[in-house]
Amino acid sequence: MNALEVKELTKVYPEFTLDKISFCVPQGHIVGLIGRNGAGKSTTIKGILRLIAAEGNVSVFGKNMDEDEMAVKQMIGYVGGGFRYYPMNTLAAIRKAYAPFYPTWEQDKYERLLAQFELSERKKVKELSEGMKVKFALALALSHGAKLLIMDEPTSGLDPLSREEFCDIVLQLVREDGVSVSSIYHRVRSLRRVR
């Protein structure tokens, strides 16, 4: 079964058209979206997640996004390039606002991930390095049982060591937990590292 199937995803803007994009992410695999700036990679992600109105069919583990959006979104974890929201809030405050949206939230798993990533809930977002922000976004995404990670340039702004560490974490998730990944990469080397 495919973790993600995208068929003829289309979005028309006055000066840009995302024209009938189709691809799939097999379960337990990593698929990278590569392209120059302005090619439509982030628009594709937004269309998949229905953050913008787009035509085309999206299904996750066989469930159609338009027919069962809430159930589908429970299976997806989103990780962007850093966590830039609510810079004055503590990680604890963000978790308290985030967790109730997911009936499958696993507090124990969240706490294990924070320990693994060496993150403290007492810290404010503005006090985190770029690498720590990405790890926090990943902890949130994985703590509700997401089996599909959709990532938009997750390694942007990371130093080489943090980038390698992040790639190791993603590879472990795929190999040991069967998580599937669709991610935008600008660095082809990053994609080669996680294949």
Side-chain angles (χ1 to χ4, degrees), residues 119-188:
L119 294 170
S120 168
E121 275 204 321
R122 294 187 303 272
K123 288 211 172 206
K124 293 182 178 179
V125 171
K126 71 175 188 169
E127 298 172 328
L128 302 180
S129 69
E130 288 304 308
M132 293 169 93
K133 289 175 186 175
V134 171
K135 288 177 182 176
F136 180 59
L138 188 60
L140 290 174
L142 295 173
S143 295
H144 63 83
K147 283 300 189 181
L148 171 64
L149 285 180
I150 295 180
M151 304 191 295
D152 190 348
E153 272 298 312
T155 59
S156 67
L158 300 187
D159 62 76
L161 186 59
S162 296
R163 194 176 303 125
E164 287 292 315
E165 184 182 10
F166 182 80
C167 290
D168 287 340
I169 292 166
V170 171
L171 283 170
Q172 181 182 0
L173 289 169
V174 172
R175 291 176 180 156
E176 296 179 12
D177 298 336
V179 172
S180 307
V181 179
S182 178
S183 184
I184 292 173
Y185 293 98
H186 284 137
R187 292 181 172 95
V188 175

Side-chain angles (χ1 to χ4, degrees), residues 34-35 153 185-195:
I34 299 175
E153 272 298 312
Y185 293 98
H186 284 137
R187 292 181 172 95
V188 175
R189 187 169 179 236
S190 293
L191 181 58
R192 286 186 184 138
R193 173 70 180 85
V194 297
R195 66 182 175 159

Side-chain angles (χ1 to χ4, degrees), residues 24-60:
C24 65
V25 178
Q27 188 171 352
H29 286 76
I30 298 170
V31 171
L33 304 176
I34 299 175
R36 68 185 193 289
N37 289 335
K41 300 179 302 296
S42 292
T43 301
T44 299
I45 296 290
K46 290 174 185 172
I48 289 168
L49 295 173
R50 297 310 197 223
L51 299 175
I52 59 171
E55 295 178 19
N57 186 51
V58 175
S59 61
V60 175

Side-chain angles (χ1 to χ4, degrees), residues 45-134:
I45 296 290
K46 290 174 185 172
I48 289 168
L49 295 173
R50 297 310 197 223
L51 299 175
I52 59 171
E55 295 178 19
N57 186 51
V58 175
S59 61
V60 175
F61 294 102
K63 289 185 180 284
N64 186 284
M65 176 68 89
D66 295 326
E67 294 171 5
D68 204 356
E69 185 173 346
M70 291 303 291
V72 169
K73 286 187 174 178
Q74 294 292 317
M75 295 185 276
I76 297 172
Y78 173 76
V79 178
F83 194 93
R84 293 175 178 81
Y85 314 105
Y86 313 110
M88 300 305 290
N89 283 8
T90 63
L91 305 192
I94 292 169
R95 185 254 312 152
K96 287 175 185 172
Y98 185 89
F101 287 99
Y102 296 95
T104 55
W105 181 262
E106 299 175 55
Q107 184 64 23
D108 289 346
K109 184 172 187 176
Y110 172 76
E111 290 172 7
R112 284 194 308 272
L113 287 166
L114 287 189
Q116 178 185 342
F117 297 159
E118 299 177 352
L119 294 170
S120 168
E121 275 204 321
R122 294 187 303 272
K123 288 211 172 206
K124 293 182 178 179
V125 171
K126 71 175 188 169
E127 298 172 328
L128 302 180
S129 69
E130 288 304 308
M132 293 169 93
K133 289 175 186 175
V134 171

